[in-house]
Amino acid sequence: MKFGKAITSGFNKLYAVLSAVGLFIIALWMISYWLGFDIESAIDKKIRPENLYIESVKGGSLQQYTQEPLGKVLDTVFTDTKWSYYEVDGKYFVQFDGLHYTAEGNNVAKITFEVKEGANFEVSSIAVDGREFFEFEYVPFMNIVFNEYQSIGI
């Protein structure tokens, strides 16, 4: 009988501790929300940093084309799109993969963006059907993509 009371007493103490910790976390969450700090975003950045980088590229725009978010343009012009994130030597990259259907055939495009400080980014590489573009070809390629987006009229 004494053993059963000890277990019950232990569960009551554990329940009290867990309840206090839970209430403390809820109070901390509410105070930070009231102060304007977004805990969910901070946790998301720590747990899944790829979301931060991918969203900064998708929601951002290139200097020459500031009217539309880049993600909307690329996801409209290309099909079967995929966005991914990776890190190399302390640099952060977001890669876009998509298919482009033309009368000549299907083209597989891969555009890589290097994300800089402050959510700024730039085109790091472009490859279509495995052919790597030279840096001077980036702007004409993106001109074609944005012109096609404008011709679609979305």
Side-chain angles (χ1 to χ4, degrees), residues 52-53 56-57 90-94 113-124:
L52 172 69
Y53 294 109
S56 69
V57 172
K91 293 182 179 181
Y92 308 103
F93 296 93
V94 170
F113 303 93
E114 181 179 352
V115 182
K116 308 279 188 170
E117 287 185 32
N120 294 323
F121 61 90
E122 61 185 32
V123 176
S124 174

PDB file of all heavy atoms in Angstrom, residues 52-53 56-57 90-94 113-124:
ATOM      1  N   LEU A  52      13.668  29.658 -44.927  1.00  0.00           N
ATOM      2  CA  LEU A  52      14.012  31.078 -44.932  1.00  0.00           C
ATOM      3  C   LEU A  52      14.673  31.465 -46.245  1.00  0.00           C
ATOM      4  O   LEU A  52      14.308  32.452 -46.876  1.00  0.00           O
ATOM      5  CB  LEU A  52      14.938  31.397 -43.753  1.00  0.00           C
ATOM      6  CG  LEU A  52      15.527  32.800 -43.724  1.00  0.00           C
ATOM      7  CD1 LEU A  52      14.447  33.821 -43.441  1.00  0.00           C
ATOM      8  CD2 LEU A  52      16.625  32.880 -42.684  1.00  0.00           C
ATOM      9  N   TYR A  53      15.645  30.687 -46.682  1.00  0.00           N
ATOM     10  CA  TYR A  53      16.379  31.019 -47.897  1.00  0.00           C
ATOM     11  C   TYR A  53      15.507  30.848 -49.142  1.00  0.00           C
ATOM     12  O   TYR A  53      15.510  31.699 -50.030  1.00  0.00           O
ATOM     13  CB  TYR A  53      17.645  30.159 -47.997  1.00  0.00           C
ATOM     14  CG  TYR A  53      18.628  30.485 -46.910  1.00  0.00           C
ATOM     15  CD1 TYR A  53      18.868  29.602 -45.861  1.00  0.00           C
ATOM     16  CD2 TYR A  53      19.307  31.696 -46.900  1.00  0.00           C
ATOM     17  CE1 TYR A  53      19.765  29.911 -44.852  1.00  0.00           C
ATOM     18  CE2 TYR A  53      20.206  32.016 -45.895  1.00  0.00           C
ATOM     19  CZ  TYR A  53      20.424  31.114 -44.874  1.00  0.00           C
ATOM     20  OH  TYR A  53      21.297  31.433 -43.882  1.00  0.00           O
ATOM     21  N   SER A  56      12.988  33.665 -49.290  1.00  0.00           N
ATOM     22  CA  SER A  56      13.575  34.972 -49.619  1.00  0.00           C
ATOM     23  C   SER A  56      13.810  35.094 -51.118  1.00  0.00           C
ATOM     24  O   SER A  56      13.638  36.166 -51.694  1.00  0.00           O
ATOM     25  CB  SER A  56      14.867  35.221 -48.840  1.00  0.00           C
ATOM     26  OG  SER A  56      15.896  34.369 -49.279  1.00  0.00           O
ATOM     27  N   VAL A  57      14.180  33.996 -51.778  1.00  0.00           N
ATOM     28  CA  VAL A  57      14.375  34.037 -53.233  1.00  0.00           C
ATOM     29  C   VAL A  57      13.025  34.069 -53.945  1.00  0.00           C
ATOM     30  O   VAL A  57      12.805  34.894 -54.829  1.00  0.00           O
ATOM     31  CB  VAL A  57      15.226  32.839 -53.717  1.00  0.00           C
ATOM     32  CG1 VAL A  57      15.269  32.781 -55.235  1.00  0.00           C
ATOM     33  CG2 VAL A  57      16.634  32.928 -53.152  1.00  0.00           C
ATOM     34  N   GLY A  90      30.096  27.677 -46.323  1.00  0.00           N
ATOM     35  CA  GLY A  90      29.527  28.837 -45.647  1.00  0.00           C
ATOM     36  C   GLY A  90      28.694  29.740 -46.543  1.00  0.00           C
ATOM     37  O   GLY A  90      28.243  30.801 -46.119  1.00  0.00           O
ATOM     38  N   LYS A  91      28.477  29.344 -47.792  1.00  0.00           N
ATOM     39  CA  LYS A  91      27.629  30.108 -48.712  1.00  0.00           C
ATOM     40  C   LYS A  91      26.303  29.370 -48.844  1.00  0.00           C
ATOM     41  O   LYS A  91      26.249  28.144 -48.806  1.00  0.00           O
ATOM     42  CB  LYS A  91      28.287  30.239 -50.085  1.00  0.00           C
ATOM     43  CG  LYS A  91      29.544  31.081 -50.067  1.00  0.00           C
ATOM     44  CD  LYS A  91      30.110  31.203 -51.465  1.00  0.00           C
ATOM     45  CE  LYS A  91      31.362  32.063 -51.456  1.00  0.00           C
ATOM     46  NZ  LYS A  91      31.919  32.203 -52.808  1.00  0.00           N
ATOM     47  N   TYR A  92      25.235  30.131 -49.014  1.00  0.00           N
ATOM     48  CA  TYR A  92      23.892  29.569 -49.063  1.00  0.00           C
ATOM     49  C   TYR A  92      23.345  29.668 -50.487  1.00  0.00           C
ATOM     50  O   TYR A  92      23.405  30.729 -51.106  1.00  0.00           O
ATOM     51  CB  TYR A  92      22.974  30.312 -48.090  1.00  0.00           C
ATOM     52  CG  TYR A  92      23.556  30.374 -46.705  1.00  0.00           C
ATOM     53  CD1 TYR A  92      24.147  31.532 -46.223  1.00  0.00           C
ATOM     54  CD2 TYR A  92      23.534  29.255 -45.881  1.00  0.00           C
ATOM     55  CE1 TYR A  92      24.700  31.580 -44.949  1.00  0.00           C
ATOM     56  CE2 TYR A  92      24.086  29.292 -44.616  1.00  0.00           C
ATOM     57  CZ  TYR A  92      24.665  30.459 -44.165  1.00  0.00           C
ATOM     58  OH  TYR A  92      25.217  30.495 -42.915  1.00  0.00           O
ATOM     59  N   PHE A  93      22.809  28.558 -50.966  1.00  0.00           N
ATOM     60  CA  PHE A  93      22.310  28.498 -52.335  1.00  0.00           C
ATOM     61  C   PHE A  93      20.881  27.973 -52.358  1.00  0.00           C
ATOM     62  O   PHE A  93      20.536  27.063 -51.616  1.00  0.00           O
ATOM     63  CB  PHE A  93      23.191  27.585 -53.185  1.00  0.00           C
ATOM     64  CG  PHE A  93      24.603  28.081 -53.342  1.00  0.00           C
ATOM     65  CD1 PHE A  93      25.592  27.651 -52.474  1.00  0.00           C
ATOM     66  CD2 PHE A  93      24.929  28.980 -54.330  1.00  0.00           C
ATOM     67  CE1 PHE A  93      26.893  28.105 -52.603  1.00  0.00           C
ATOM     68  CE2 PHE A  93      26.234  29.446 -54.468  1.00  0.00           C
ATOM     69  CZ  PHE A  93      27.220  29.007 -53.605  1.00  0.00           C
ATOM     70  N   VAL A  94      20.084  28.547 -53.253  1.00  0.00           N
ATOM     71  CA  VAL A  94      18.742  28.055 -53.524  1.00  0.00           C
ATOM     72  C   VAL A  94      18.731  27.653 -54.988  1.00  0.00           C
ATOM     73  O   VAL A  94      19.153  28.414 -55.854  1.00  0.00           O
ATOM     74  CB  VAL A  94      17.672  29.133 -53.246  1.00  0.00           C
ATOM     75  CG1 VAL A  94      16.311  28.693 -53.757  1.00  0.00           C
ATOM     76  CG2 VAL A  94      17.607  29.448 -51.765  1.00  0.00           C
ATOM     77  N   PHE A 113      20.703  30.266 -57.241  1.00  0.00           N
ATOM     78  CA  PHE A 113      20.841  31.608 -56.686  1.00  0.00           C
ATOM     79  C   PHE A 113      21.705  31.531 -55.436  1.00  0.00           C
ATOM     80  O   PHE A 113      21.499  30.658 -54.593  1.00  0.00           O
ATOM     81  CB  PHE A 113      19.468  32.181 -56.301  1.00  0.00           C
ATOM     82  CG  PHE A 113      18.499  32.216 -57.446  1.00  0.00           C
ATOM     83  CD1 PHE A 113      17.622  31.155 -57.658  1.00  0.00           C
ATOM     84  CD2 PHE A 113      18.465  33.290 -58.315  1.00  0.00           C
ATOM     85  CE1 PHE A 113      16.727  31.170 -58.708  1.00  0.00           C
ATOM     86  CE2 PHE A 113      17.566  33.324 -59.372  1.00  0.00           C
ATOM     87  CZ  PHE A 113      16.690  32.260 -59.570  1.00  0.00           C
ATOM     88  N   GLU A 114      22.639  32.446 -55.315  1.00  0.00           N
ATOM     89  CA  GLU A 114      23.410  32.545 -54.083  1.00  0.00           C
ATOM     90  C   GLU A 114      22.741  33.595 -53.212  1.00  0.00           C
ATOM     91  O   GLU A 114      22.544  34.728 -53.637  1.00  0.00           O
ATOM     92  CB  GLU A 114      24.854  32.937 -54.350  1.00  0.00           C
ATOM     93  CG  GLU A 114      25.668  33.010 -53.074  1.00  0.00           C
ATOM     94  CD  GLU A 114      27.123  33.383 -53.294  1.00  0.00           C
ATOM     95  OE1 GLU A 114      27.567  33.441 -54.447  1.00  0.00           O
ATOM     96  OE2 GLU A 114      27.806  33.630 -52.280  1.00  0.00           O
ATOM     97  N   VAL A 115      22.383  33.200 -51.998  1.00  0.00           N
ATOM     98  CA  VAL A 115      21.715  34.111 -51.076  1.00  0.00           C
ATOM     99  C   VAL A 115      22.778  34.797 -50.239  1.00  0.00           C
ATOM    100  O   VAL A 115      23.598  34.159 -49.594  1.00  0.00           O
ATOM    101  CB  VAL A 115      20.709  33.363 -50.174  1.00  0.00           C
ATOM    102  CG1 VAL A 115      19.999  34.332 -49.249  1.00  0.00           C
ATOM    103  CG2 VAL A 115      19.713  32.584 -51.017  1.00  0.00           C
ATOM    104  N   LYS A 116      22.750  36.130 -50.283  1.00  0.00           N
ATOM    105  CA  LYS A 116      23.718  36.947 -49.552  1.00  0.00           C
ATOM    106  C   LYS A 116      23.069  37.431 -48.254  1.00  0.00           C
ATOM    107  O   LYS A 116      21.949  37.066 -47.922  1.00  0.00           O
ATOM    108  CB  LYS A 116      24.128  38.152 -50.405  1.00  0.00           C
ATOM    109  CG  LYS A 116      24.588  37.819 -51.804  1.00  0.00           C
ATOM    110  CD  LYS A 116      25.992  37.369 -51.802  1.00  0.00           C
ATOM    111  CE  LYS A 116      26.482  37.221 -53.249  1.00  0.00           C
ATOM    112  NZ  LYS A 116      27.860  37.008 -53.370  1.00  0.00           N
ATOM    113  N   GLU A 117      23.766  38.287 -47.543  1.00  0.00           N
ATOM    114  CA  GLU A 117      23.225  38.848 -46.294  1.00  0.00           C
ATOM    115  C   GLU A 117      22.000  39.697 -46.587  1.00  0.00           C
ATOM    116  O   GLU A 117      21.886  40.320 -47.645  1.00  0.00           O
ATOM    117  CB  GLU A 117      24.286  39.702 -45.604  1.00  0.00           C
ATOM    118  CG  GLU A 117      25.392  38.890 -44.969  1.00  0.00           C
ATOM    119  CD  GLU A 117      26.359  39.763 -44.194  1.00  0.00           C
ATOM    120  OE1 GLU A 117      25.935  40.786 -43.638  1.00  0.00           O
ATOM    121  OE2 GLU A 117      27.536  39.401 -44.171  1.00  0.00           O
ATOM    122  N   GLY A 118      21.106  39.743 -45.614  1.00  0.00           N
ATOM    123  CA  GLY A 118      19.920  40.585 -45.727  1.00  0.00           C
ATOM    124  C   GLY A 118      18.931  40.095 -46.760  1.00  0.00           C
ATOM    125  O   GLY A 118      18.206  40.880 -47.335  1.00  0.00           O
ATOM    126  N   ALA A 119      18.921  38.817 -47.047  1.00  0.00           N
ATOM    127  CA  ALA A 119      17.995  38.195 -47.991  1.00  0.00           C
ATOM    128  C   ALA A 119      18.222  38.674 -49.426  1.00  0.00           C
ATOM    129  O   ALA A 119      17.359  38.517 -50.269  1.00  0.00           O
ATOM    130  CB  ALA A 119      16.548  38.407 -47.566  1.00  0.00           C
ATOM    131  N   ASN A 120      19.362  39.296 -49.705  1.00  0.00           N
ATOM    132  CA  ASN A 120      19.717  39.630 -51.076  1.00  0.00           C
ATOM    133  C   ASN A 120      20.230  38.373 -51.754  1.00  0.00           C
ATOM    134  O   ASN A 120      20.795  37.498 -51.113  1.00  0.00           O
ATOM    135  CB  ASN A 120      20.804  40.712 -51.114  1.00  0.00           C
ATOM    136  CG  ASN A 120      20.301  42.024 -50.568  1.00  0.00           C
ATOM    137  OD1 ASN A 120      19.154  42.396 -50.775  1.00  0.00           O
ATOM    138  ND2 ASN A 120      21.145  42.725 -49.863  1.00  0.00           N
ATOM    139  N   PHE A 121      20.055  38.293 -53.048  1.00  0.00           N
ATOM    140  CA  PHE A 121      20.520  37.124 -53.777  1.00  0.00           C
ATOM    141  C   PHE A 121      20.875  37.522 -55.198  1.00  0.00           C
ATOM    142  O   PHE A 121      20.493  38.588 -55.681  1.00  0.00           O
ATOM    143  CB  PHE A 121      19.460  36.014 -53.773  1.00  0.00           C
ATOM    144  CG  PHE A 121      18.173  36.398 -54.430  1.00  0.00           C
ATOM    145  CD1 PHE A 121      17.978  36.190 -55.788  1.00  0.00           C
ATOM    146  CD2 PHE A 121      17.150  36.971 -53.694  1.00  0.00           C
ATOM    147  CE1 PHE A 121      16.800  36.549 -56.394  1.00  0.00           C
ATOM    148  CE2 PHE A 121      15.962  37.333 -54.288  1.00  0.00           C
ATOM    149  CZ  PHE A 121      15.781  37.124 -55.645  1.00  0.00           C
ATOM    150  N   GLU A 122      21.614  36.642 -55.840  1.00  0.00           N
ATOM    151  CA  GLU A 122      21.965  36.854 -57.239  1.00  0.00           C
ATOM    152  C   GLU A 122      22.032  35.497 -57.935  1.00  0.00           C
ATOM    153  O   GLU A 122      22.192  34.460 -57.291  1.00  0.00           O
ATOM    154  CB  GLU A 122      23.291  37.587 -57.369  1.00  0.00           C
ATOM    155  CG  GLU A 122      24.458  36.862 -56.773  1.00  0.00           C
ATOM    156  CD  GLU A 122      25.743  37.674 -56.806  1.00  0.00           C
ATOM    157  OE1 GLU A 122      25.688  38.907 -56.709  1.00  0.00           O
ATOM    158  OE2 GLU A 122      26.807  37.040 -56.939  1.00  0.00           O
ATOM    159  N   VAL A 123      21.904  35.533 -59.252  1.00  0.00           N
ATOM    160  CA  VAL A 123      22.000  34.307 -60.029  1.00  0.00           C
ATOM    161  C   VAL A 123      23.439  33.814 -59.957  1.00  0.00           C
ATOM    162  O   VAL A 123      24.377  34.554 -60.229  1.00  0.00           O
ATOM    163  CB  VAL A 123      21.580  34.540 -61.490  1.00  0.00           C
ATOM    164  CG1 VAL A 123      21.779  33.276 -62.310  1.00  0.00           C
ATOM    165  CG2 VAL A 123      20.138  34.999 -61.566  1.00  0.00           C
ATOM    166  N   SER A 124      23.595  32.566 -59.579  1.00  0.00           N
ATOM    167  CA  SER A 124      24.919  31.970 -59.441  1.00  0.00           C
ATOM    168  C   SER A 124      25.269  31.096 -60.641  1.00  0.00           C
ATOM    169  O   SER A 124      26.413  31.051 -61.073  1.00  0.00           O
ATOM    170  CB  SER A 124      24.974  31.148 -58.160  1.00  0.00           C
ATOM    171  OG  SER A 124      26.168  30.453 -58.050  1.00  0.00           O
TER     172      SER A 124
END
